[in-house]
Amino acid sequence: MAAPCRTRTLQTDSRGSNGACDRTGRLYLYHYNEEQPYIPLTEIQRIDTAAILDIKWCHIPVAEHPMVGIANSTGAVEFCHLTGSEKNSCMLEPCFRVDLGAQRLALSLDWSTGREQCGCPLRVISSDSEGKLNLFSIDESAPSVHVLNQWEAHKFEAWIAAFNYWDTDIVYSGGDDSLLKGWDTRCSPETPVFTSRRHSMGVCSIQCSPHRENLLATGSYDEHVLLWDTRNIKQPLADTHVEGGVWRLKWHPTCDFVLLAACMQSGFKILDCRGSMAENTEECIILSSYVLHNSLAYGADWSRLCPRDSLTATQDSAAACLSSEELVGRSEEGDKRLNLQVQNLKIIYESPTATFDVILDEESEGPALPLKAEGGPKLSGDPDLVRAPDLKGSLDLAGGPDRGGDPESDSGSDSGAKRPNGMGLGRSGDSTRSLDSPKEMSIVATCSFYDNILHVWKWEMSLVTPLEMSSTRSPSERTVESLH
């Protein structure tokens, strides 16, 4: 697995705080080797750059190579190809770039390929500090990039822009004006499809579900994660208070109801969204969390790799594949209903200062003591390098959680549909494997600001029945685990 990570540093000249400010950054490329338990990441490339605000892999190869998009502090969106097939020859090489305009920062980007579909026009949407959205098309034959449109979407910083992966003519944006907006790129960009004021502060994270049509997750400085059915944007399906500004949201690549959130001062959280999707519960369950006491959580993402432990568990299991609808539908069976039980959250890599192995096990009284690695053996063997989602950090460029807007509850257009039951949210059977074994192992990467640390985790969840759990534990204790 090849994984990029980025940093950002501010430098001022001798004129003091009112002088020139130079935002610098660095792009790292790592090789991941699961066979090395103490040091699974090996740096294979670093590039000094302008500060990087967002970075994302395209979900499909471009011109037969993995491609990454980078939004930086010079107001440019750059694109790089990953070349080479072996660890020692794998490198990121620049392809092309688009300059959004002078005196602005490129703040975010998203690819139209979230469902990994081929045969569709390949496009990128980007947002910037002037409140504008920028739509590009990628010509895979050259390859090259073309600017399709640019328009003013928000009065202040447009923190985030994202595609509707099920209809890529539709894009969403969130700004420091506290507004969530939807846009149809086939129509005049001057008029949004909808405008919502449901968030009370700046909207800084949006992601469309790649598994369920019409399902959208948004996060804000107001410390709330909202789930929406995009057919009725007036009222969210769920509203979860996570106690920190929500800078990034990422749906699990295969489990359709699991959502990862980077919550700034509140650390990282993993949410179970089954109830809101199928039972219309008002908030999601927090399955796992990790709180950084001296830093801010800005970047978080899942790997598309399936760890060997997870493969082994799948082979040993005779359990059937169950979707979130099927799991929730078992509520009528009483004690036979399957529940999520998070067994452990394990740090398998910490950079740059140390490597720790911290385990939280349901059967133990508390987390195991951190095991500091005394150094690991050199990498042996070369597992194939494969595509991975971005492992990244980010930063707050123009104010923190105290920057807000109109606290009105909500406003927006309505497609005419009543608030649908979550069971009506379509699920893609081909791309989703909600839970195909009692144990599901995932690799998670997180980045934090101030301490500039990249963590790589293994996270395991299990399906168990209440009868298999201790009868003395409450339902919330059976489904929630935290590592602080």
Side-chain angles (χ1 to χ4, degrees), residues 141-411:
S141 60
S144 58
V145 61
H146 307 280
V147 178
L148 297 178
N149 208 344
Q150 183 182 69
W151 68 97
E152 183 174 342
H154 297 272
K155 294 181 180 179
F156 305 107
E157 291 87 347
W159 290 119
I160 189 71
F163 278 100
N164 180 333
Y165 296 143
W166 299 80
D167 181 359
T168 55
D169 289 321
I170 303 298
V171 297
Y172 307 109
S173 66
D176 210 50
D177 52 10
S178 308
L179 300 181
L180 167 66
K181 295 185 178 184
W183 309 86
D184 189 334
T185 59
R186 296 165 296 187
C187 304
S188 169
E190 297 178 359
T191 305
V193 175
F194 69 81
T195 299
S196 172
R197 297 180 181 271
R198 182 60 174 76
H199 283 291
S200 61
M201 301 183 75
V203 179
C204 40
S205 56
I206 302 173
Q207 194 179 41
C208 172
S209 169
H211 311 301
R212 289 174 169 268
E213 189 173 7
N214 304 314
L215 181 60
L216 185 72
T218 65
S220 166
Y221 283 141
D222 66 11
E223 305 184 351
H224 287 258
V225 173
L226 303 184
L227 296 186
W228 304 87
D229 185 322
T230 55
R231 295 168 294 184
N232 183 1
I233 209 68
K234 283 191 173 182
Q235 180 68 26
L237 296 173
D239 182 342
T240 306
H241 184 212
V242 293
E243 301 179 343
V246 187
W247 189 254
R248 282 296 177 266
L249 290 168
K250 297 285 182 170
W251 289 103
H252 193 283
T254 58
C255 192
D256 65 350
F257 57 83
V258 174
L259 182 65
L260 174 64
C263 304
M264 300 173 72
Q265 66 269 28
S266 185
F268 308 99
K269 300 183 188 296
I270 299 175
L271 280 62
D272 176 0
C273 304
R274 281 180 300 163
S276 59
M277 292 192 296
E279 293 179 335
N280 290 333
T281 57
E282 294 182 354
E283 62 180 355
C284 302
I285 295 172
I286 297 175
L287 294 172
S288 297
S289 63
Y290 176 71
V291 178
L292 300 165
H293 298 291
N294 298 307
S295 194
L296 296 176
Y298 273 106
D301 209 345
W302 304 95
S303 170
R304 296 178 184 270
L305 288 180
C306 185
R308 289 184 177 85
D309 292 344
S310 184
L311 291 173
T312 302
T314 301
Q315 294 166 355
D316 292 342
S317 167
C321 177
L322 300 176
S323 71
S324 58
E325 292 112 326
E326 293 168 319
L327 286 171
V328 174
R330 293 195 173 197
S331 59
E332 60 197 34
E333 300 180 16
D335 285 344
K336 293 183 179 180
R337 176 180 173 181
L338 294 176
N339 288 277
L340 273 182
Q341 180 186 29
V342 181
Q343 289 196 334
N344 62 58
L345 183 63
K346 179 192 296 184
I347 298 176
I348 59 174
Y349 179 81
E350 179 178 88
S351 72
T353 55
T355 300
F356 293 95
D357 188 2
V358 180
I359 302 173
L360 183 66
D361 196 319
E362 278 241 332
E363 308 220 339
S364 65
E365 296 182 356
L369 292 175
L371 303 176
K372 185 170 182 179
E374 298 297 333
K378 293 184 178 180
L379 289 173
S380 59
D382 255 341
D384 291 336
L385 287 165
V386 299
R387 285 187 301 110
D390 53 307
L391 313 180
K392 61 182 180 293
S394 192
L395 64 156
D396 183 1
L397 291 167
D402 58 337
R403 295 186 56 130
D406 187 355
E408 292 181 33
S409 58
D410 66 81
S411 67

